[in-house]
Structures are given as structure tokens and as C-alpha cells.
Amino acid sequence: MLSRVAPWLASRRDGAAPGVVVRVMGGADTADLLVLAQQDAVANVFILSHLATAGTASPTGGGATIFGVFDGGTLIGACWAGANLVPVQLDPELAGEVAVAAQQSGRRFASIFGPAETVLAMYAALEKLGQRAHDVRDHQPLMTIAGPPAVPPEPALGFGRLADFDRILPACAAMFEEEVGYSPFLGGREYYSRRVKGLIRQGHSLVHLGPDDEVVFKAELGAVTPEVTQVQGVWMNPALRGQGLSAGYMAAVVVLAQTVAPVTSLYVNGFNTKARATYERVGFRQVGTFATVLF
């Protein structure tokens, strides 16, 4: 694992300042990373959620690391490198340095997601290193709502229960496959199943089961801090789509999410005009633009 980038390595571009280095962060860097990420609590909710849970910037037991970009010893950007790459307050001009460090780590990444300009700059650098994406979603409005939703919430939505895991899991898998184009069970069911169970246990699974115990609607709070939740995995049963039900369910998502944190956020594909219109009807407003690169 690359721990420091020396001046003669490829991860220093000619445009980088002489004192800029990229290295894997450790426990001693935790406070600096927290301050950096708190500069944008919405865009950086993923890493802030991780720090709230783990309490450290050190590598995880599963092998995920956080690359820090330092200028003369001062942290000026970072990037989570686990199953995905997630930049944190990273200047697009420095994305190439982090891309090289990620490439040299030997780890495979499923995606890059985060602020669009930085994500696309990182992918451009990885592409030069031989990485090829199967999909690039370069315009994903980042949206938030604080305060009550603008439409009445659907009262049937509630927090998922472990007793309903066998019903919730297939709906989660269906959403995943619709969104990324392949099954989350490729290579086995264990990892994804554990992830869904974990969300249920944490009280971050939101679901409505109909009279036949089929999932009508579901969503998850994929990242959670005391200030912000990020909604992910929004899915309506295909048999019930087109009936104008989504806004009420999303309003209920907001109400439930705000029992956890005051600001509810999400990001949505720019081409998904129906979803965007629903979120705007509920009261979400765009505060930034994300991008996602899927490998």
C-alpha cells in the first residue's frame, strides 16, 4: 500500500505544488479529516458517517483506507478508498495524484462518487492508467430538504424490521439491479445481505409492506450523521408505478429521516426527470452536483 508519494513518482504531476504528498491516513489524522469534511456536511456525509462510527481515519479491518493529500503537512483534501472511491474536499487539480495512489494500491473499486468536477477529473486520470468505466453519470443533482415536506406523508411507511428481512432483501436487490445494471449477488449473497441486515438493525431501512407482505415502497438512510442523512435505494414496486404515489412516500421518508437528523439529502440521476420532479414537489432543492462512475 502506498504510504507516501515521493517527488519522483508518477503521482506527482508537474502542476502540483512542491510540498504536496499523498499518503494513507492514520489515527493521528482523524481530527484534521473531521475538520476538512465538516466544511460541507452534506457533500461529505459518507465520510462523516464513517468517522462517527469508526472514530478513526485509520484503515479498516476490511482493508479500506483513506488517502490524505497534504501540502507542507496541512491536510488539503482526502479520498475514501474502499469498495468505492469517495473524494472529500479534493480539488480537481489534485485528483490525478489520488488516482495514481488508488491505482498503485492494487485494490479494485466498484465506483467513484461525489462532487462532479472532482469525480470526473479522477476518472480521467484513471482512464489514462487503463481503467475503463461501464457507465459515467456526470450530472446528478445533490438535493436537500430541512423542515416539513410540502406534501402529506404516506402514513404506512415505517422502519424496517428484521422479521421482514426476507421480503426486504429482494426489493433491495431489484433496486440495485435496476440502478447499476447487474445483480448485487454476483460473487455471492453474503456481503449484500449483511449490508441490508445492518441497515435494518440500525433503524436506517424504511419500508411499507402491503397486505400480501410484498414491498410496496422502500428506501434507506445510506449515510447518517447527527446533522445530515443521505437517502439511497428509493424503490417503488413496479406494479404500483405511475399512480402518483411516490411523492407521499418520499414525504414520509423525510419525516422519518428527520427523527434522526434535521437535514435530509439525496442525489439523483439528471436524466431521471420524473424522480427529480417528485423530489422537488416534496420540497427538495438542489445544492450541488454529484457524478458517479461505475466500473
Side-chain angles (χ1 to χ4, degrees):
M1 181 68 69
L2 183 68
S3 61
R4 183 176 176 88
V5 177
W8 58 84
L9 292 183
S11 51
R12 273 192 180 278
R13 298 185 308 170
D14 291 341
V20 172
V21 297
V22 177
R23 64 168 173 82
V24 173
M25 302 184 78
D29 301 307
T30 304
D32 288 341
L33 179 60
L34 184 62
V35 170
L36 180 77
Q38 286 175 334
Q39 293 178 22
D40 190 335
V42 172
N44 298 320
V45 64
F46 175 88
I47 197 67
L48 288 168
S49 178
H50 168 73
L51 290 175
T53 301
T56 179
S58 296
T60 71
T65 59
I66 303 170
F67 291 112
V69 183
F70 294 84
D71 185 358
T74 300
L75 181 67
I76 59 173
C79 185
W80 167 267
N84 310 292
L85 291 169
V86 187
V88 180
Q89 299 299 112
L90 181 63
D91 191 308
E93 291 295 319
L94 297 172
E97 277 74 15
V98 176
V100 170
Q103 175 84 351
Q104 292 180 347
S105 75
R107 191 180 183 102
R108 296 183 64 183
F109 305 101
S111 74
I112 317 169
F113 67 85
E117 192 176 356
T118 299
V119 166
L120 297 175
M122 188 175 296
Y123 175 56
L126 286 170
E127 195 173 27
K128 290 179 181 178
L129 295 169
Q131 297 288 328
R132 295 290 184 271
H134 82 78
D135 195 5
V136 177
R137 300 175 182 185
D138 59 1
H139 181 73
Q140 297 177 308
L142 175 64
M143 310 180 81
T144 64
I145 181 172
V151 300
E154 167 54 63
L157 190 72
F159 291 102
R161 305 179 306 155
L162 278 175
D164 298 319
F165 169 75
D166 289 338
R167 298 170 180 85
I168 295 171
L169 180 63
C172 291
M175 178 285 306
F176 185 100
E177 191 160 357
E178 285 182 31
E179 179 67 17
V180 303
Y182 59 86
S183 170
F185 300 140
L186 278 177
R189 297 171 64 95
E190 182 180 354
Y191 175 80
Y192 190 72
S193 297
R194 192 164 62 243
R195 166 70 174 162
V196 172
K197 277 186 179 177
L199 289 166
I200 297 171
R201 286 194 182 99
Q202 292 167 333
H204 297 167
S205 169
L206 312 176
V207 65
H208 172 207
L209 296 178
D212 57 359
D213 282 340
E214 290 291 316
V215 173
V216 174
F217 176 94
K218 69 94 190 169
E220 289 83 44
L221 306 180
V224 174
T225 72
E227 295 81 27
V228 182
T229 59
Q230 186 179 87
V231 178
Q232 299 175 355
V234 176
W235 185 84
M236 175 72 75
N237 191 307
L240 298 170
R241 295 175 188 175
Q243 300 181 29
L245 302 175
S246 296
Y249 280 109
M250 283 306 304
V253 168
V254 171
V255 170
L256 293 173
Q258 288 179 352
T259 66
V260 179
V263 177
T264 309
S265 72
L266 55 81
Y267 58 99
V268 56
N269 291 319
F271 56 77
N272 194 341
T273 55
K274 289 184 178 180
R276 291 175 64 183
T278 296
Y279 299 148
E280 289 170 2
R281 181 181 168 200
V282 171
F284 284 88
R285 295 294 177 261
Q286 185 172 353
V287 296
T289 303
F290 268 22
T292 298
V293 176
L294 298 169
F295 293 104

